Amino acid sequence: MNIIVNGISHAIEVEPDMPLLWALRDILNIKGPKFGCGVGLCGACTVIIDGEAVRSCQTLVGDITTPVRTIDGLADDAGLHPVQQAWMDEQVAQCGYCQAGQIMSAVALLEANSSPTDDDIDAAMTGNLCRCGTYPRIRAAIHRAAGELAGA
Ligand code: FES
Ligand code: FES
Protein backbone atom coordinates (compact mmCIF):
# COMPACT_ATOMS: atom_id res chain seq x y z
CA MET A 1 0.00 0.00 0.00
CA ASN A 2 0.99 3.63 -0.33
CA ILE A 3 0.77 6.30 2.30
CA ILE A 4 1.77 9.93 2.02
CA VAL A 5 3.59 11.30 5.05
CA ASN A 6 4.77 14.90 5.21
CA GLY A 7 4.30 15.23 1.47
CA ILE A 8 6.29 12.14 0.53
CA SER A 9 4.65 9.02 -0.86
CA HIS A 10 5.84 5.74 0.61
CA ALA A 11 5.13 2.21 -0.62
CA ILE A 12 5.01 -0.06 2.40
CA GLU A 13 4.30 -3.74 2.77
CA VAL A 14 2.47 -4.17 6.05
CA GLU A 15 -0.70 -5.77 7.28
CA PRO A 16 -3.58 -3.29 7.00
CA ASP A 17 -4.38 -3.71 10.69
CA MET A 18 -0.99 -2.40 11.76
CA PRO A 19 -1.39 0.78 13.82
CA LEU A 20 -0.19 3.84 11.94
CA LEU A 21 2.21 4.62 14.78
CA TRP A 22 4.05 1.36 14.18
CA ALA A 23 4.24 1.98 10.44
CA LEU A 24 5.60 5.48 10.99
CA ARG A 25 8.20 4.58 13.57
CA ASP A 26 9.25 1.04 12.70
CA ILE A 27 8.77 0.91 8.93
CA LEU A 28 9.33 4.49 7.80
CA ASN A 29 11.72 5.51 10.59
CA ILE A 30 9.67 8.64 11.29
CA LYS A 31 10.26 8.97 15.01
CA GLY A 32 8.45 12.21 15.85
CA PRO A 33 5.23 10.53 17.00
CA LYS A 34 5.93 8.83 20.33
CA PHE A 35 4.62 5.65 21.90
CA GLY A 36 3.16 6.56 25.26
CA CYS A 37 0.23 4.36 26.22
CA GLY A 38 -0.68 2.60 22.98
CA VAL A 39 -4.36 2.72 23.85
CA GLY A 40 -5.44 6.22 22.87
CA LEU A 41 -5.17 7.80 26.29
CA CYS A 42 -2.07 10.01 26.28
CA GLY A 43 -1.74 11.79 22.92
CA ALA A 44 2.02 11.27 22.58
CA CYS A 45 1.46 9.66 19.17
CA THR A 46 -0.66 12.50 17.73
CA VAL A 47 -0.47 13.22 14.01
CA ILE A 48 -2.71 15.30 11.75
CA ILE A 49 -4.98 13.70 9.15
CA ASP A 50 -7.60 15.72 7.28
CA GLY A 51 -6.93 18.63 9.59
CA GLU A 52 -7.75 16.60 12.68
CA ALA A 53 -5.41 15.69 15.51
CA VAL A 54 -5.47 11.89 15.42
CA ARG A 55 -4.02 9.24 17.74
CA SER A 56 -1.80 7.23 15.43
CA CYS A 57 -1.72 4.29 17.86
CA GLN A 58 -5.47 3.92 17.32
CA THR A 59 -5.48 4.44 13.55
CA LEU A 60 -5.02 1.43 11.30
CA VAL A 61 -2.63 2.01 8.46
CA GLY A 62 -5.04 0.27 6.08
CA ASP A 63 -7.64 2.96 6.82
CA ILE A 64 -5.39 5.81 5.73
CA THR A 65 -6.71 7.42 2.53
CA THR A 66 -5.36 10.97 2.86
CA PRO A 67 -1.97 12.46 3.69
CA VAL A 68 -0.52 12.20 7.18
CA ARG A 69 1.40 15.01 8.84
CA THR A 70 3.81 14.46 11.70
CA ILE A 71 5.96 16.85 13.67
CA ASP A 72 8.90 15.76 11.54
CA GLY A 73 7.43 17.73 8.63
CA LEU A 74 6.52 20.96 10.42
CA ALA A 75 9.77 22.88 9.97
CA ASP A 76 10.86 23.87 6.49
CA ASP A 77 13.81 25.61 4.89
CA ALA A 78 12.59 28.90 6.34
CA GLY A 79 12.90 27.53 9.86
CA LEU A 80 10.68 26.25 12.61
CA HIS A 81 6.92 26.28 12.32
CA PRO A 82 5.51 29.19 14.36
CA VAL A 83 4.08 26.74 16.89
CA GLN A 84 7.49 25.13 17.35
CA GLN A 85 9.07 28.58 17.73
CA ALA A 86 6.47 29.58 20.30
CA TRP A 87 7.24 26.39 22.21
CA MET A 88 10.90 27.38 22.24
CA ASP A 89 10.18 30.96 23.24
CA GLU A 90 7.95 29.88 26.13
CA GLN A 91 10.38 27.08 27.08
CA VAL A 92 7.45 24.70 27.28
CA ALA A 93 9.16 21.33 27.38
CA GLN A 94 10.32 19.67 30.55
CA CYS A 95 11.18 16.01 29.89
CA GLY A 96 9.79 16.53 26.39
CA TYR A 97 8.20 13.14 25.91
CA CYS A 98 4.66 14.39 25.35
CA GLN A 99 5.60 17.50 23.42
CA ALA A 100 5.54 16.24 19.83
CA GLY A 101 1.95 15.21 20.36
CA GLN A 102 1.13 18.45 22.16
CA ILE A 103 2.52 20.49 19.28
CA MET A 104 0.58 18.55 16.65
CA SER A 105 -2.66 19.04 18.57
CA ALA A 106 -1.84 22.75 18.87
CA VAL A 107 -1.16 23.02 15.13
CA ALA A 108 -4.49 21.34 14.34
CA LEU A 109 -6.26 23.68 16.77
CA LEU A 110 -4.73 26.83 15.29
CA GLU A 111 -5.45 25.75 11.72
CA ALA A 112 -9.12 25.40 12.68
CA ASN A 113 -9.31 28.35 15.08
CA SER A 114 -6.79 31.14 14.62
CA SER A 115 -7.69 32.90 17.87
CA PRO A 116 -8.55 30.29 20.49
CA THR A 117 -9.69 31.20 23.99
CA ASP A 118 -8.32 29.46 27.05
CA ASP A 119 -11.43 27.26 27.02
CA ASP A 120 -10.88 26.42 23.34
CA ILE A 121 -7.29 25.46 24.13
CA ASP A 122 -8.26 23.34 27.10
CA ALA A 123 -10.92 21.55 25.04
CA ALA A 124 -8.58 20.90 22.12
CA MET A 125 -5.65 19.78 24.28
CA THR A 126 -7.53 17.69 26.80
CA GLY A 127 -6.44 14.39 25.23
CA ASN A 128 -2.76 15.25 25.42
CA LEU A 129 -1.39 14.37 28.83
CA CYS A 130 1.79 15.81 30.33
CA ARG A 131 3.10 14.13 33.42
CA CYS A 132 5.47 17.07 33.91
CA GLY A 133 2.55 19.49 34.19
CA THR A 134 3.58 21.91 31.45
CA TYR A 135 -0.03 22.86 30.75
CA PRO A 136 0.29 26.58 31.65
CA ARG A 137 3.27 26.97 29.32
CA ILE A 138 1.49 25.04 26.57
CA ARG A 139 -1.42 27.46 26.82
CA ALA A 140 0.92 30.46 26.74
CA ALA A 141 2.74 29.07 23.71
CA ILE A 142 -0.51 28.53 21.82
CA HIS A 143 -1.53 32.14 22.47
CA ARG A 144 1.92 33.29 21.36
CA ALA A 145 1.76 31.21 18.19
CA ALA A 146 -1.73 32.53 17.44
CA GLY A 147 -0.36 36.04 17.66
CA GLU A 148 2.58 35.20 15.43
CA LEU A 149 0.37 33.53 12.84
CA ALA A 150 -2.06 36.49 12.89
CA GLY A 151 0.82 38.84 12.13
CA ALA A 152 2.33 36.64 9.45
S1 FES B 1 0.45 6.31 22.45
FE1 FES B 1 -1.29 6.88 21.30
S2 FES B 1 -2.58 7.91 22.70
FE2 FES B 1 -0.90 7.19 23.92
S1 FES C 1 7.13 17.48 29.24
FE1 FES C 1 7.36 15.61 30.34
S2 FES C 1 5.51 14.52 29.91
FE2 FES C 1 5.18 16.48 29.09
Side-chain angles (χ1 to χ4, degrees), residues 47-70:
V47 300
I48 297 176
I49 301 174
D50 282 336
E52 299 285 337
V54 170
R55 309 298 178 236
S56 62
C57 72
Q58 297 298 294
T59 303
L60 302 183
V61 70
D63 291 339
I64 302 294
T65 57
T66 54
V68 177
R69 295 162 63 199
T70 77

Side-chain angles (χ1 to χ4, degrees), residues 93-99 102 129-132 134:
Q94 191 160 319
C95 82
Y97 200 83
C98 72
Q99 297 296 334
Q102 304 280 4
L129 304 183
C130 176
R131 64 185 173 186
C132 300
T134 62

Side-chain angles (χ1 to χ4, degrees), residues 74-75 78-92 103 141 144-145 148:
L74 280 189
L80 295 177
H81 185 283
V83 172
Q84 291 174 304
Q85 186 61 55
W87 245 247
M88 299 286 285
D89 293 340
E90 294 291 339
Q91 299 187 3
V92 172
I103 287 173
R144 179 188 280 259
E148 293 292 328

Side-chain angles (χ1 to χ4, degrees), residues 21 34-45 55 57:
L21 179 61
K34 299 291 184 274
F35 176 87
C37 64
V39 291
L41 296 176
C42 75
C45 64
R55 309 298 178 236
C57 72

Side-chain angles (χ1 to χ4, degrees), residues 4-59:
I4 298 172
V5 184
N6 300 326
I8 298 172
S9 181
H10 301 271
I12 55 174
E13 291 189 21
V14 298
E15 295 298 322
D17 62 353
M18 173 182 276
L20 174 61
L21 179 61
W22 272 245
L24 291 172
R25 291 184 57 86
D26 295 348
I27 307 298
L28 297 175
N29 202 32
I30 295 171
K31 303 287 192 184
K34 299 291 184 274
F35 176 87
C37 64
V39 291
L41 296 176
C42 75
C45 64
T46 301
V47 300
I48 297 176
I49 301 174
D50 282 336
E52 299 285 337
V54 170
R55 309 298 178 236
S56 62
C57 72
Q58 297 298 294
T59 303

